[in-house]
Amino acid sequence: MGRVPKVMTAQSRSPSGYATWRLIAEELRREIVGGARAPGAKLPPEAELAERFGVHRNTVRQAVSALAAEHLVVSRRGSGTYVAEHTVLVHRIGARTRLSDSLGSRGDASRRLLASAVEPEPPAEVTERLSLGGGAGLRLETASSVDGLPISRGTHWFAADRVPGLAERFSDTGSITAALRAVGIDDYVRAATTVGARHATVAEAADLSLTAGSVVLVTRSLDTLMDGTPLQLGITRFVAARVELDVGHPDLELDGPA
Amino acid sequence: MGRVPKVMTAQSRSPSGYATWRLIAEELRREIVGGARAPGAKLPPEAELAERFGVHRNTVRQAVSALAAEHLVVSRRGSGTYVAEHTVLVHRIGARTRLSDSLGSRGDASRRLLASAVEPEPPAEVTERLSLGGGAGLRLETASSVDGLPISRGTHWFAADRVPGLAERFSDTGSITAALRAVGIDDYVRAATTVGARHATVAEAADLSLTAGSVVLVTRSLDTLMDGTPLQLGITRFVAARVELDVGHPDLELDGPA
DNA sequence: TCAAGTTGTCCAGCTATCTAGACAACTCGA
DNA sequence: TCGAGTTGTCTAGATAGCTGGACAACTTGA
């Protein structure tokens, strides 16, 4: 592979608005999370990386320390820098799958309530998609993490009068499904989900322990009761570096008879 | 909203590795593609934006010109800066939906073949998921655009001996579905799709007319014949700023009887 | 025990980026 | 027609980040 893209050749920085060390960090991160460098593997020495990217070793060091800050690599003086265990969480998006399920399959996962509030006048999108019609909205802010690393932040909207006491129930269980069951809603399905991606806002970067400008996956989903009544509008921001979404296609059989 | 995050306070650059003007550009882009600023709407004057972000007007100008470079805004001397028509393409991911469908619903959309090649030894992932078993792989590189703006880049793998002449057929129609039909494959379905997001590589940024460090949505999908034989492994990079993925959930009825 | 290899720390100089200010060019409503 | 408002262009200076080099601290294998 020799020299690699060569974007960062000139002295100091490329005029892209991105610091050279950031571009290098992102390239190395791609190699790691993409699987080209397995956990436990040793990274090439800084001197070698510096030569490969055509920059000074100090610049590589800054890139590596950024990766170390997000626990993707661990450096040992005198020995080398090693890829850390980093397991990417695969979250399945399906009509009946919940984030709790994806988290539950893992060892040290948690989901917790950060805040809840009754909003007399929710944003237009919420009023519309939940068919609130002037009623108040209940907003829940949640956070999830795996192995102590933040995975996602979620904003969940409900019709306030349909789910009395939901916030308290959620705190008990860490599961929205369980909390809904506790307030009398036994079943619901995912009606629609859209997926986008963008740079994290400053606030999101802080919340998710990311450096500014990291990438987040954003899902917007609508859950409905079995009779089609809209139940929950959820907006979830996932740390793109640590999460992959799996879009199930279980509707194969549905097409046969049609 | 007053002053906004204030990340970029100090002189020169913030210590995040991102130039101040880039952070501002990304914030403005979020406001625009997020819908807070409608197409045709006038942006606040540069002086006002400068005050809001706590930077000099020149810094705002650099951010705005970056947005202008991606055709998200248009500046008119003496008048102001306006949000351009930018329509986000919504691409539905379902068992039987094709990118051609999403593109087809739009006015000036195109899809074209960039390259095709028979690879005697495809990457391990391809060999495995397509069950090539030592056979050669056919690789197609495609690009799609809407209104002259690049939307995606795709890499499509097939078993070379199962789809003779596919590349030529694709060039004719701009549709993989049509090309497959032309070589005798009438029907197939999406078996699995995963979605991730990350910063674009340097090469991708160039291919998709993006500035370095922009965000791309990455889907990896496997299509199979109706009998389950793997047919196509596709890796598509979408411009996150211009595309939203819609995950259909058409399998509601499937769960009832189960 | 030693030497090669690797990461950690420090410092001086250069340069791109941001700040600051001024003025030109143009639009649009009064 | 005029003037307020807005974008376009230019110059100059300050500073943080990148470069380049040297050396210390530590690990590992011979």
Side-chain angles (χ1 to χ4, degrees):
Chain A
M1 35 187 80
R3 276 213 127 231
V4 159
K6 96 111 202 319
V7 183
M8 30 276 186
T9 74
Q11 300 135 295
S12 99
R13 162 200 320 127
S14 57
S16 67
Y18 292 89
T20 308
W21 63 265
R22 265 219 161 273
L23 298 176
I24 294 173
E26 280 154 22
E27 172 62 26
L28 291 175
R29 178 170 32 233
R30 263 191 299 277
E31 295 179 8
I32 293 172
V33 305
R37 299 184 184 281
K42 186 177 170 182
L43 248 57
E46 294 167 353
E48 186 178 319
L49 289 174
E51 186 189 11
R52 167 182 158 193
F53 290 112
V55 300
H56 192 265
R57 191 184 135 228
N58 282 350
T59 309
V60 167
R61 281 186 58 69
Q62 195 158 6
V64 170
S65 68
L67 298 180
E70 43 186 285
H71 303 101
L72 212 55
V73 301
V74 175
S75 292
R76 284 205 285 274
R77 166 184 277 193
S79 176
T81 300
Y82 301 83
V83 177
E85 298 295 334
H86 59 275
T87 56
V88 172
L89 176 72
V90 176
H91 175 220
R92 184 174 182 101
I93 299 181
R96 308 187 72 83
T97 53
R98 326 293 187 204
L99 179 53
S100 311
D101 300 335
S102 302
L103 292 172
S105 63
R106 307 201 47 79
D108 172 27
S110 76
R111 186 135 175 247
R112 65 187 191 285
L113 182 67
L114 298 175
S116 68
V118 174
E119 309 274 357
E121 296 192 7
E125 181 193 4
V126 176
T127 303
E128 182 185 334
R129 297 189 69 186
L130 282 185
S131 305
L132 290 184
L138 172 66
R139 180 172 54 85
L140 264 55
E141 298 287 340
T142 64
S144 71
S145 63
V146 170
D147 298 334
L149 291 175
I151 290 294
S152 73
R153 280 267 177 153
T155 302
H156 310 264
W157 289 92
F158 300 86
D161 52 8
R162 283 180 220 153
V163 290
L166 183 69
E168 294 70 25
R169 303 296 186 170
F170 179 83
S171 298
D172 300 340
T173 61
S175 159
I176 286 185
T177 305
L180 284 169
R181 202 172 296 129
V183 300
I185 295 172
D186 290 326
D187 201 11
Y188 63 97
V189 293
R190 179 66 50 88
T193 305
T194 61
V195 182
R198 54 173 172 76
H199 287 101
T201 66
V202 176
E204 288 166 349
D207 291 343
L208 295 168
S209 301
L210 300 172
T211 51
S214 297
V215 179
V216 291
L217 272 164
V218 183
T219 64
R220 308 176 87 83
S221 59
L222 182 68
D223 291 326
T224 66
L225 299 179
M226 302 316 287
D227 64 0
T229 308
L231 171 66
Q232 175 189 192
L233 177 63
I235 298 147
T236 308
R237 285 84 67 194
F238 294 92
V239 178
R242 296 200 273 269
V243 178
E244 189 163 80
L245 302 177
D246 178 9
V247 179
H249 296 289
D251 52 338
L252 300 187
E253 302 151 63
L254 206 64
D255 298 290
Chain B
M1 37 189 82
R3 274 209 131 233
V4 159
K6 98 108 198 329
V7 184
M8 31 278 186
T9 73
Q11 301 132 295
S12 104
R13 170 201 311 129
S14 58
S16 66
Y18 293 88
T20 307
W21 65 265
R22 266 218 161 271
L23 298 176
I24 294 174
E26 281 155 20
E27 171 62 27
L28 291 175
R29 177 169 34 231
R30 264 192 298 276
E31 295 178 9
I32 293 171
V33 304
R37 300 184 184 279
K42 186 178 169 182
L43 247 55
E46 294 166 353
E48 186 178 319
L49 288 175
E51 187 188 12
R52 167 182 159 194
F53 289 112
V55 301
H56 192 266
R57 189 184 138 227
N58 283 351
T59 309
V60 167
R61 281 185 58 70
Q62 194 159 7
V64 170
S65 68
L67 297 179
E70 43 186 286
H71 304 101
L72 211 53
V73 300
V74 175
S75 292
R76 283 205 284 273
R77 165 183 278 193
S79 176
T81 301
Y82 301 83
V83 177
E85 299 295 334
H86 58 275
T87 54
V88 172
L89 176 72
V90 176
H91 175 221
R92 183 171 182 103
I93 300 183
R96 307 186 74 82
T97 54
R98 326 292 188 205
L99 179 54
S100 310
D101 300 334
S102 302
L103 292 172
S105 63
R106 308 202 46 80
D108 173 28
S110 75
R111 185 133 176 251
R112 66 187 191 287
L113 182 67
L114 298 175
S116 69
V118 174
E119 308 275 357
E121 295 192 8
E125 181 193 3
V126 176
T127 303
E128 181 185 338
R129 296 190 68 185
L130 283 185
S131 304
L132 290 184
L138 173 66
R139 180 172 54 85
L140 263 56
E141 299 286 337
T142 65
S144 72
S145 63
V146 170
D147 297 335
L149 292 175
I151 289 294
S152 72
R153 279 270 176 149
T155 303
H156 310 264
W157 289 93
F158 299 85
D161 52 8
R162 284 180 220 153
V163 290
L166 183 69
E168 293 71 26
R169 303 297 185 168
F170 179 84
S171 299
D172 301 340
T173 61
S175 160
I176 286 184
T177 305
L180 282 170
R181 201 172 297 126
V183 300
I185 295 174
D186 291 325
D187 200 11
Y188 63 97
V189 293
R190 180 66 49 88
T193 306
T194 61
V195 182
R198 54 172 171 76
H199 288 101
T201 65
V202 175
E204 287 165 350
D207 292 342
L208 295 168
S209 301
L210 300 174
T211 51
S214 297
V215 179
V216 291
L217 271 164
V218 183
T219 65
R220 309 177 86 83
S221 60
L222 182 68
D223 291 325
T224 65
L225 299 179
M226 303 316 286
D227 64 0
T229 307
L231 172 66
Q232 174 190 191
L233 177 63
I235 298 148
T236 308
R237 284 84 66 195
F238 293 94
V239 178
R242 296 199 273 270
V243 178
E244 190 164 79
L245 303 176
D246 179 8
V247 178
H249 296 289
D251 52 340
L252 301 187
E253 302 150 62
L254 206 62
D255 300 289

